[in-house]
Amino acid sequence: MLALTVALGLLAHGGDRARTAWDRWIDATELPPLTVPVGTEVLARDGTLLRAFPVEDGLWRLAPPQEGVDPRFLSMLVGWEDRRFHHHDGVDRRAVLRAAWQAVTHGRIVSGASTLSMQTARLLERGATGDWRAKLRQARVALALERRLGKERILDLYLRLAPYGGNTEGVRAASLMWFGKEPRRLTPAESALLVALPQSPETRRPDLAAARAAARAARDRVIDRALALGIIDAEAAESARATPLPESRRPFPAHAALLADRLRRENPGAPRIETTLDARLQSAAERLAARAVAGQAEQVSAAILLADHRSGEILAQVGTAQFADGASGGFVDMTRALRSPGSTLKPFVYALGFDEGLIHPETLIEDRPAAFGRWQPQNFDNRFRGTVTIRQALVESLNLPVVRVAEALGPARVMAAFRRAGMDVTVQGDAPGLAVVLGGAGVSLADLVEGYATLARGGKPVRLHDRPGRTEQPGAPAFGPVAAWQVANVLSGILPPGGRAAGRVAFKTGTSYGHRDALAVGFDGRFVAGVWMGRPDGTPVPGAFGGDYAAPVLFDLFDALGPRAVPLPPPPEAALTVPNAALPRPLRRFVPAGEVPPAGPALRAPEPLTIQFPPDGAEVELSAAALVVRAKGGTPPYNWLLNGAPVAIGRSDPVAELPAPQGFSALTVVDAKGRSARVQFRATSGS
């Protein structure tokens, strides 16, 4: 008994020493780097992946999703690879003994004993799979990983590093590549395939015809194991086996591609970059941009920006219609490029005029030829309307009235108003000229949308931003709430494209000189948006008008908001909503400094100039060689032109006899104010 007691004591002492030495050996293990580089992800406001980037070595490797993966996938993985994962210390000694016994009795390797911890060790070190020395090293590293990291962190590393064929690693990248979805939404069939692939990622690739049979067989074996372990039931297993394999690799998401590029450059090394973008609206905007350029002339592109003007958050941003298409400038972000704004700056001139008490929407103003120094601007259609209201001048986008108002305000004050509204308007030379209000300047679509957001907010500026929590203190109001509402009220009266009802969106279109840029910008009670179309290299697009090209896209974008759209606000209490005759006398007619206002009744708008006879489109029977024509309204004397040639000049009477040839003719009358009216008719012989 004494000898047995002494022997047991010596054995216990030796075991303690051996255990201590074992622990020291494990603790002394030099681990490979545990930081696994992952590609940058740019996310929408709800966490949806907008765009992913590979790591520097070209591998598609992404961090596991914060929401986790489908629980059945994890159960299948552990059940297939390492059923005792949660119970061993990195090396499954039972599995080692079983594998050794099977190898001895069968004369060949029947099953392996590699645990998930050992596989993670191999993936971290990029080690070999069959060499016994490598296996010993992996076992030692696995034991050390278990002690230092724990099960959860080891599983996280495996989910990042497991190979899935080609240049794809990790379950997140594999799920997106093979199924186009996040791994938290995997079906049993999809989970089984992703469990089977890492064992032989190249010989089981389902996109390769020669490997599809092996991929299906391996997947089905995992399904059978999951059924045997009770992870799925018989019905789910049968459905999973009948599920076809994916036949091709899917491209990784590339929404808001140019914005994502910029954010990654601004945040180097960031694994996740959150944005304010709405994933659904972003997809809708990209579809609209692609549809807008389909069938257009070569190299025509489009840009779209949509924001919530209450918060300043950008909800959708499309910098190009065809990302990566070099021919159409697919790498140029046209939301940030300087372009001519066309007529889209006119509302800000009128807003400043309203704010200064210089004009009112119902104020009369002259639209007739005028010279401003050596500059003689024309309207887009080369016609003049005579006396009009400010409302009509803005709705019809007339050039002479806005230049008259800008001259009275002064270009410097107009430019200051642009800056207060949030727009960085760039002009050539040291001082801006009046041409800036007709688009003779450069401004980005982003700045233009920010300026319209100021109008939508009652004159209070807001800084648009694409990152959550990055709001800035707004500056001083650019305009008063009454002036901002008056502009919005006028813009909401412009007829939308496609027969839509007016009044829902306040918007303005613009077309730059030479048809290089087609623009439309607008807002409702909550959202503000802008659309640009043209060629990024600045070459003309013949026939491109803002109203025809960009406005339909703008309204399709507002339609995509659905029930989220908010009506425009009612007028402020201080707003003066009366006709011209009820305005204070100084506001009834705009009179530039140095000009004498007409007296008495001339303050009222004259009756519009029209041709009463012949009616437009009429067929007229000639009873003599002359045709009697009759005008109504306007201001005499009248000048008559037939087919573009003058035939009666300086007539005080609105009735005139004109020689008229048989056949189709065009008749034009021009009054003393430069207003014109035109009809077409067909003359036939009375015999």
Side-chain angles (χ1 to χ4, degrees):
M1 291 293 293
L2 179 61
L4 180 59
T5 302
V6 171
L8 290 174
L10 290 173
L11 185 61
H13 180 67
D16 288 341
R17 294 185 64 185
R19 186 177 298 107
T20 300
W22 174 262
D23 290 341
R24 288 176 179 170
W25 183 68
I26 297 300
D27 292 340
T29 303
E30 184 177 348
L31 294 179
L34 300 178
T35 301
V36 179
V38 293
T40 297
E41 304 168 33
V42 180
L43 308 175
R45 62 194 303 118
D46 63 351
T48 299
L49 180 64
L50 294 173
R51 188 178 182 192
F53 295 88
V55 293
E56 290 185 359
D57 53 7
L59 285 173
W60 284 105
R61 185 195 299 133
L62 304 173
Q66 294 176 323
E67 302 82 2
V69 300
D70 186 273
R72 287 174 302 190
F73 169 79
L74 295 177
S75 298
M76 286 185 181
L77 175 66
V78 172
W80 179 257
E81 292 284 2
D82 187 0
R83 274 183 282 179
R84 286 175 41 78
F85 173 69
H86 295 291
H87 304 287
H88 61 64
D89 61 354
V91 176
D92 188 349
R93 292 160 183 79
R94 293 184 189 179
V96 172
L97 293 174
R98 182 193 69 242
W101 174 254
Q102 290 175 339
V104 170
T105 56
H106 291 80
R108 58 184 176 85
I109 296 177
V110 176
S111 64
S114 179
T115 65
L116 280 172
S117 303
M118 293 172 64
Q119 293 180 48
T120 302
R122 175 177 59 82
L123 293 171
L124 283 169
E125 294 192 327
R126 305 286 174 178
T129 57
D131 182 74
W132 68 269
R133 296 179 184 83
K135 288 289 186 184
L136 288 178
R137 167 64 183 170
Q138 291 161 18
R140 181 180 182 182
V141 173
L143 292 166
L145 289 174
E146 291 270 352
R147 292 191 178 188
R148 300 186 197 180
L149 302 183
K151 300 287 187 183
E152 185 175 343
R153 179 76 189 283
I154 289 173
L155 195 57
D156 178 81
L157 287 171
Y158 178 86
L159 295 178
R160 293 171 186 250
L161 291 167
Y164 284 94
N167 61 339
T168 305
E169 291 186 355
V171 68
R172 178 107 183 277
S175 182
L176 291 167
M177 181 189 70
W178 291 118
F179 310 117
K181 62 168 68 173
E182 294 285 356
R184 67 178 178 274
R185 300 189 292 114
L186 292 171
T187 66
E190 294 165 348
S191 294
L193 180 61
L194 294 187
V195 168
L197 276 176
Q199 290 185 330
S200 186
E202 291 303 323
T203 62
R204 295 177 179 175
R205 280 181 53 173
D207 61 325
L208 301 178
R212 288 181 64 79
R216 179 178 290 278
R219 182 199 68 176
D220 290 352
R221 287 195 297 271
V222 176
I223 293 172
D224 293 340
R225 176 72 62 83
L227 175 62
L229 295 175
I231 298 171
I232 57 176
D233 58 24
E235 183 180 356
E238 183 180 358
S239 175
R241 293 189 199 96
T243 301
L245 295 172
E247 296 183 353
S248 61
R249 293 160 55 110
R250 297 170 181 257
F252 285 88
H255 298 296
L258 295 178
L259 171 64
D261 266 340
R262 175 172 59 82
L263 292 178
R264 186 178 66 140
R265 291 194 302 269
E266 294 173 354
N267 302 271
R272 284 187 171 95
I273 301 175
E274 297 178 346
T275 72
T276 60
L277 268 59
D278 181 294
R280 188 184 69 82
L281 292 175
Q282 178 65 31
S283 295
E286 290 174 1
R287 288 194 300 270
L288 288 175
R291 189 175 72 189
V293 302
Q296 295 287 355
E298 188 180 359
Q299 301 176 358
V300 172
S301 188
I304 298 174
L305 190 66
L306 172 68
D308 183 333
H309 60 68
R310 294 180 178 179
S311 63
E313 293 178 333
I314 294 175
L315 304 177
Q317 181 168 331
V318 182
T320 178
Q322 297 169 310
F323 172 62
D325 180 7
S328 63
F331 296 104
V332 181
D333 187 349
M334 295 307 298
T335 66
R336 300 167 68 86
L338 290 180
R339 306 296 292 201
S340 167
S343 296
T344 57
L345 294 180
K346 290 177 181 176
F348 300 94
V349 178
Y350 288 123
L352 183 59
F354 295 153
D355 229 14
E356 295 287 331
L358 192 66
I359 52 175
H360 180 275
E362 307 307 324
T363 299
L364 300 178
I365 192 169
E366 295 302 315
D367 178 43
R368 56 186 175 84
F372 301 86
R374 298 171 60 185
W375 183 43
Q376 293 181 310
Q378 301 285 321
N379 285 324
F380 202 81
D381 59 3
N382 294 317
R383 295 176 54 219
F384 298 97
R385 276 70 169 177
T387 303
V388 297
T389 63
I390 294 291
R391 181 182 299 276
Q392 181 184 350
L394 181 51
V395 167
E396 297 188 23
S397 198
L398 304 178
N399 288 341
L400 268 297
V402 75
V403 174
R404 293 178 187 276
V405 175
E407 182 186 42
L409 292 168
R413 293 174 67 193
V414 171
M415 289 291 290
F418 293 158
R419 288 192 295 270
R420 289 197 305 272
M423 298 182 295
D424 183 10
V425 179
T426 303
V427 296
Q428 291 184 342
D430 298 330
L434 291 174
V436 68
V437 304
L438 301 185
V443 63
S444 70
L445 180 66
D447 276 5
L448 201 56
V449 173
E450 191 164 299
Y452 275 73
T454 299
L455 291 174
R457 289 165 48 86
K460 298 177 181 177
V462 61
R463 178 65 64 184
L464 301 185
H465 56 278
D466 48 40
R467 301 292 307 280
R470 296 203 171 187
T471 57
E472 296 182 20
Q473 277 300 110
F479 313 106
V482 171
W485 178 85
Q486 287 173 325
V487 169
N489 178 254
V490 174
L491 296 181
S492 67
I494 299 176
L495 290 178
R500 297 174 173 91
R504 181 167 65 96
V505 176
F507 79 106
K508 183 72 181 74
T509 61
T511 305
S512 67
Y513 178 75
H515 301 273
R516 289 172 170 82
D517 306 274
L519 292 148
V521 194
F523 55 88
D524 67 4
R526 179 178 176 184
F527 300 99
V528 60
V531 176
W532 169 89
M533 290 187 66
R535 289 192 172 109
D537 63 3
T539 54
V541 182
F545 293 92
D548 297 332
Y549 273 50
V553 181
L554 178 73
F555 275 82
D556 286 344
L557 186 62
F558 274 98
D559 288 343
L561 293 170
R564 286 192 279 183
V566 177
L568 291 163
E573 291 184 6
L576 184 62
T577 55
V578 296
N580 178 271
L583 289 174
R585 184 168 294 276
L587 284 179
R588 294 181 189 174
R589 178 181 290 273
F590 173 76
V591 181
E595 290 190 14
V596 179
L603 288 173
R604 293 183 302 191
E607 185 178 358
L609 176 65
T610 59
I611 296 177
Q612 282 193 310
F613 189 86
D616 189 30
E619 183 171 305
V620 180
E621 185 176 295
L622 297 176
S623 58
L627 172 69
V628 177
V629 296
R630 181 182 298 107
K632 182 181 180 182
T635 304
Y638 302 97
N639 300 312
W640 294 91
L641 295 86
L642 191 64
N643 297 322
V647 289
I649 304 299
R651 297 297 182 89
S652 58
D653 193 314
V655 179
E657 280 190 0
L658 308 178
Q662 294 187 29
F664 289 98
S665 294
L667 178 66
T668 304
V669 63
V670 182
D671 74 353
K673 296 293 186 180
R675 290 168 297 203
S676 63
R678 185 174 183 269
V679 297
Q680 289 181 308
F681 65 95
R682 180 171 179 260
T684 61
S685 173
S687 58

